[in-house]
Amino acid sequence: MNLLKEQAPAEADNFRSTVIVAVEAAARTHRAVPTPTLADMIRKITAALDAA
């Protein structure tokens, strides 16, 4: 994310959004509502993307 932010800031936002959409879509394929473990993993992935 840091490299992407430096070289193409608009693409960094696009990449973050794409990853979040993919993770949330994968969570929905298993159940209508993600399990607590899966919801926690989604939060961790989002936090990691935001921290970079």
Side-chain angles (χ1 to χ4, degrees), residues 39-50:
D40 187 45
M41 188 55 63
I42 291 169
R43 281 191 294 278
K44 288 179 181 182
I45 291 169
T46 301
L49 288 170
D50 291 342

Side-chain angles (χ1 to χ4, degrees), residues 6-45:
E6 289 173 16
Q7 294 186 359
E11 285 305 312
D13 291 337
N14 184 45
F15 177 76
R16 180 190 178 283
S17 296
T18 300
V19 170
I20 302 248
V21 167
V23 168
E24 289 176 347
R28 282 191 300 273
T29 61
H30 297 288
R31 294 184 179 187
V33 177
T35 64
T37 302
L38 192 52
D40 187 45
M41 188 55 63
I42 291 169
R43 281 191 294 278
K44 288 179 181 182
I45 291 169

